[in-house]
Amino acid sequence: MSPPARGTQAPEVKKHELPVSKDGNLVVGLCDGETSMEVKGVKAGESLTRAQAQHVSGALMEEWLRKNPNAHWDAVPLVAQAPAPGSTTPRTQQPRTPAPSKGTVREGGVTPESGGAEVKKQQAVPIQDGHTYGAFSDRDEAIWAASTEQFVDEGHRVFHDAQAIGGTVGISCDMCHPDASNTHPETYPKYQVQLGRVALLRDMINWCIENPVRGRPLADGDPRMRAMEAYIYAKRKGVKLEYGKK
Amino acid sequence: MRPPCGVALSLAVLLFAHSGQAQPQDREVVSSPADLPPGVSAVLWKLSVPPHLAPTPERVLLGEKLFNDQRLSVDNTVSCSTCHDPRLGFADAKPVSEGVKGQKVTRNSPTILNALFNASQFWDGRASTLEDQAKLPILNPREMGMPDEAAVVAKVKTIPEYVRDFQKVFNREVNFDDLAVAIAAFERTLYSGNARFDRFITGDAKAFSAAERRGWALFNGKARCNTCHAGNVVSPLFSDQKFHNIGIAAHKTDFPQLAREGLKVVRTGDEKQIDELALETRFSELGRFLVTKQENDVGAFKTPTLRNIAITGPYMHDGSLVTLWDVMDHYNKGGVPNPYLDGGMQRLGLTETEIDDVVAFLFTLTDEQFVKFATQEQARQRGLKSKRPERDTAVAMGKKGNLGDLAPNPDLAVKNPADIGVYGTEAQVKPASTSKP
């Protein structure tokens, strides 16, 4: 086979090229791939405090909204109002506690003729009756629900923590997306102009991690990426899936 | 779009109040102990401990005394701790347990550590609570041998210390129910979750050797252990708490014949009868079937926790497998064929090195308090590696018929599941080294 011609190679994934500050100040780029802002008084390579980072991301968002007056952007206060971790509503699963002991060891029981299906009623406990798989009790479901909530809570933590996500300038996800607003996970996959390709939610998360968060993109299997997807989806529970939406 | 918070809240309150009416004691809010080790889940604790049976210090103290008291047996020779010895990981290191007059039962003594988290008790789940469970061994003729409840109560009443204790703790005289409640309260303090594995999964990559890391990957990959022995941060027991026929008893049992006979004998729901059938007769091998009478449960036994597995051998419900290498051999060839074999049982195709790795991993599930014991046990089990009655490499490797697909062999050079936190969510285990395994 001959080597592929230059033109047929896959286009390189786009990068947001940031302008360099004359004074060596820190420049923060927005996720649109165009807008950026020089932070006076902070040198490149330094990190912002949470208040500074919030101010910068707020100003960048304002600038973007000014440039895109017709953009679909839900009105949210640009000051992050992070609910405390663990405050994601846990499902009100009421675990069924086993019936309290009647006090005596049961004598007599049922006759050999009565079927095993009756056992369930007699003991008033979820009992596995024959099928190994799919025989799930309330307890199982409570464990699954709690496991899911822990995953979502971990995503909440990462989403609100610039360091956990590997950011270098102090900006965290919640600063532009308080409470995961305007992340619209239900609209993926879709063509994302600034990326120049069809993106999945994780691609967009990684794009934001490069700018403005200034971290290194996470691997698909990275527990932080998985947790953030869990959190972002959890925040849109009940919203209709609508892939490709602008 | 989103309902106002208040609506959801008041609904929840209503529901709660309603269920609370039926069982007033459920309204109490009991929080889990503050000092739970990393491998014990507070969520699971709350799910597993009924509020009105949460351990109080007085009950625990009385329960521990009863647990260790041989006077609960007919001839003052056997206590609960005889078969659940704290020094032996709350098991007895014997294939099957021995009760009064040296009588043997047909089942292996499971550890009590973390038993409070079990969805049901005993190998066949014939008791649904710890309280129910605690009563039966006292009355079983081959275990502690007391003739009946009244005899136990009468005997305990002759001991002034207990008369005083019961009065103090339960505010009434000695009775069998309270005795079980006290023992169960003590058992609810026996959680264990401070293993090297817990250090590893919470971010200390150096806690594992290369072999143990490979073993953890295999556990979740080619060895498919996690199919039944799944664990995560909320349920860190490594057990699905279900019942599976893995063919352990199939060597010596004609299951269909035994099931037909069993059907005529078993009075389903009669705990005492099931207890005696399970511990004294050949019907023991019917396992979960004795409880449910469902054909699919013939020869099925509960998936035990893997926490502290290294120190709670011999293995399986009848203690027939001596070492963890034997256990791996059993699974590697897909168990022993029988009509009720669980569908998940298929050959694994593990090589000898891979078996060593999985066993190495299993040793990391030992609580720190038993590390010395585990080290001895590792040496002892390794010494028995040349005797492997369950080993059938030809079947394991598919040379006698290649049924079923093997689970993917994890390519550790590319992606080690241990690095990406398969166990749960929050673990961010960094690679210990960049050298390839």
Side-chain angles (χ1 to χ4, degrees):
Chain A
M1 247 177 74
S2 59
R6 275 180 68 93
T8 59
Q9 273 176 339
E12 217 161 84
V13 177
K14 286 190 188 178
K15 289 271 176 204
H16 184 173
E17 298 296 345
L18 296 176
V20 180
S21 157
K22 294 197 298 288
D23 308 322
N25 286 335
L26 174 69
V27 178
V28 179
L30 189 63
C31 58
D32 66 350
E34 295 170 3
T35 313
S36 63
M37 183 183 150
E38 185 175 334
V39 188
K40 298 233 163 66
V42 180
K43 294 292 165 204
E46 288 177 356
S47 186
L48 303 166
T49 63
R50 181 158 174 99
Q52 282 174 321
Q54 182 64 73
H55 179 76
V56 169
S57 58
L60 279 167
M61 283 306 301
E62 259 176 61
E63 174 64 10
W64 180 77
L65 288 170
R66 197 184 56 74
K67 283 187 193 168
N68 301 278
N70 300 321
H72 292 291
W73 198 257
D74 298 339
V76 284
L78 281 176
V79 176
Q81 291 170 333
S87 65
T88 42
T89 1
R91 265 184 252 172
T92 49
Q93 184 91 31
Q94 299 265 340
R96 200 186 305 173
T97 44
S101 164
K102 294 283 180 332
T104 52
V105 174
R106 279 184 287 271
E107 299 288 347
V110 293
T111 60
E113 286 72 40
S114 51
E118 298 299 309
V119 177
K120 218 187 264 184
K121 288 179 216 154
Q122 288 169 26
Q123 301 196 337
V125 286
I127 197 167
Q128 183 191 331
D129 53 0
H131 297 279
T132 303
Y133 304 104
F136 302 121
S137 63
D138 286 1
R139 175 192 144 100
D140 291 322
E141 284 178 20
I143 287 173
W144 299 339
S147 307
T148 311
E149 288 313 326
Q150 285 225 7
F151 202 28
V152 170
D153 286 349
E154 168 65 2
H156 178 283
R157 182 183 76 80
V158 176
F159 198 84
H160 289 80
D161 186 338
Q163 255 190 329
I165 208 177
T168 52
V169 295
I171 290 177
S172 56
C173 310
D174 63 297
M175 290 179 177
C176 299
H177 301 280
D179 218 10
S181 58
N182 289 306
T183 49
H184 297 296
E186 73 279 3
T187 61
Y188 292 89
K190 66 178 168 189
Y191 191 87
Q192 200 75 46
V193 180
Q194 61 275 54
L195 276 65
R197 62 182 169 125
V198 176
L200 297 173
L201 175 62
R202 67 188 65 168
D203 300 322
M204 199 55 211
I205 293 175
N206 267 339
W207 176 263
C208 289
I209 286 179
E210 292 194 86
N211 279 301
V213 171
R214 283 289 184 88
R216 284 174 51 201
L218 302 175
D220 280 353
D222 191 297
R224 292 168 295 175
M225 171 63 85
R226 290 160 46 79
M228 273 197 294
E229 282 192 10
Y231 167 67
I232 292 169
Y233 278 110
K235 290 313 249 182
R236 299 294 276 178
K237 183 176 175 170
V239 175
K240 193 175 140 196
L241 279 175
E242 212 166 340
Y243 83 92
K245 196 184 173 199
K246 273 172 75 184
Chain B
M1 283 256 301
R2 221 180 280 172
C5 283
V7 175
L9 187 67
S10 55
L11 250 178
V13 169
L14 267 176
L15 283 170
F16 193 65
H18 183 71
S19 64
Q21 246 170 1
Q23 278 179 302
Q25 65 269 33
D26 280 359
R27 209 179 297 181
E28 299 166 33
V29 176
V30 179
S31 53
S32 55
D35 58 343
L36 289 179
V40 172
S41 151
V43 178
L44 191 61
W45 195 96
K46 279 190 190 154
L47 276 174
S48 310
V49 180
H52 63 292
L53 293 171
T56 63
E58 300 81 31
R59 286 181 184 182
V60 171
L61 212 60
L62 173 59
E64 184 170 12
K65 209 189 280 181
L66 290 164
F67 186 86
N68 291 309
D69 197 335
Q70 298 180 333
R71 289 174 294 187
L72 289 187
S73 67
V74 70
D75 60 359
N76 301 335
T77 56
V78 173
S79 67
C80 305
S81 61
T82 304
C83 303
H84 302 288
D85 188 335
R87 291 162 303 175
L88 299 174
F90 289 89
D92 61 5
K94 292 174 185 157
V96 292
S97 295
E98 287 171 27
V100 291
K101 303 185 190 80
Q103 299 177 91
K104 284 191 174 142
V105 299
T106 52
R107 301 249 175 107
N108 174 264
S109 163
T111 178
I112 292 184
L113 290 170
N114 293 324
L116 78 145
F117 300 121
N118 286 345
S120 62
Q121 304 298 337
F122 291 118
W123 278 104
D124 50 18
R126 62 186 178 274
S128 55
T129 64
L130 286 172
E131 282 77 8
D132 262 3
Q133 190 280 330
K135 292 174 177 178
L136 288 167
I138 301 175
L139 302 177
N140 187 289
R142 290 207 197 170
E143 292 183 302
M144 295 162 82
M146 292 299 283
D148 55 32
E149 293 183 16
V152 181
V153 172
K155 191 168 179 190
V156 174
K157 272 186 180 166
T158 63
I159 305 166
E161 189 188 347
Y162 281 130
V163 175
R164 272 200 310 276
D165 285 349
F166 273 78
Q167 196 58 243
K168 200 177 87 196
V169 177
F170 295 105
N171 205 19
R172 54 187 170 193
E173 59 181 23
V174 179
N175 66 81
F176 203 51
D177 282 348
D178 287 346
L179 180 136
V181 166
I183 293 175
F186 169 61
E187 292 177 300
R188 289 202 174 90
T189 65
L190 298 179
Y191 43 76
S192 153
N194 198 12
R196 203 142 50 77
F197 170 78
D198 299 302
R199 292 220 314 271
F200 172 72
I201 206 68
T202 50
D204 179 5
K206 294 203 178 98
F208 268 18
S209 70
E212 289 157 353
R213 292 158 63 81
R214 290 194 301 269
W216 173 226
L218 287 161
F219 185 93
N220 293 302
K222 188 178 176 185
R224 293 198 282 114
C225 312
N226 66 346
T227 307
C228 297
H229 293 283
N232 73 15
V233 280
V234 173
S235 179
L237 297 178
F238 298 98
S239 161
D240 62 359
Q241 296 292 310
K242 306 271 179 253
F243 304 87
H244 306 271
N245 178 325
I246 59 169
I248 283 294
H251 292 294
K252 52 188 181 202
T253 307
D254 176 0
F255 278 131
Q257 174 61 23
L258 194 63
R260 263 196 301 279
E261 287 177 42
L263 209 53
K264 292 181 194 139
V265 183
V266 190
R267 297 191 296 274
T268 314
D270 180 347
E271 267 186 337
K272 179 94 174 105
Q273 189 211 17
I274 296 171
D275 189 60
E276 288 174 9
L277 290 174
L279 295 182
E280 298 165 31
T281 70
R282 62 204 172 89
F283 293 115
S284 172
E285 299 302 357
L286 288 173
R288 182 66 173 164
F289 177 85
L290 289 179
V291 179
T292 64
K293 280 196 184 177
Q294 295 290 300
E295 201 187 357
N296 283 357
D297 285 334
V298 170
F301 292 87
K302 189 169 69 189
T303 311
T305 175
L306 294 186
R307 291 259 169 197
N308 301 304
I309 193 70
I311 55 161
T312 52
Y315 302 102
M316 305 303 172
H317 70 275
D318 56 359
S320 59
L321 302 186
V322 180
T323 70
L324 287 171
W325 275 275
D326 294 324
V327 174
M328 292 309 297
D329 285 341
H330 175 83
Y331 286 117
N332 202 20
K333 62 185 180 189
V336 178
N338 73 78
Y340 305 102
L341 188 69
D342 193 288
M345 294 294 290
Q346 287 171 18
R347 75 182 181 92
L348 302 175
L350 297 174
T351 65
E352 189 62 15
T353 343
E354 287 171 332
I355 289 178
D356 289 345
D357 289 345
V358 177
V359 173
F361 163 70
L362 291 173
F363 272 85
T364 69
L365 294 170
T366 314
D367 198 286
E368 298 286 359
Q369 60 176 310
F370 297 112
V371 162
K372 211 176 136 201
F373 184 14
T375 313
Q376 289 167 12
E377 191 57 18
Q378 201 160 16
R380 189 187 72 84
Q381 293 197 11
R382 194 172 283 136
L384 293 167
K385 257 184 82 175
S386 54
K387 290 182 204 140
R388 305 267 287 270
E390 292 301 316
R391 191 172 187 179
D392 193 335
T393 313
V395 172
M397 295 304 167
K399 292 190 178 125
K400 292 187 182 171
N402 188 0
L403 295 172
D405 293 330
L406 293 186
N409 194 1
D411 184 349
L412 298 172
V414 177
K415 189 192 274 182
N416 183 343
D419 295 339
I420 61 168
V422 169
Y423 175 69
T425 56
E426 50 207 279
Q428 289 179 32
V429 180
K430 291 174 197 76
S433 70
T434 47
S435 68
K436 290 191 176 173

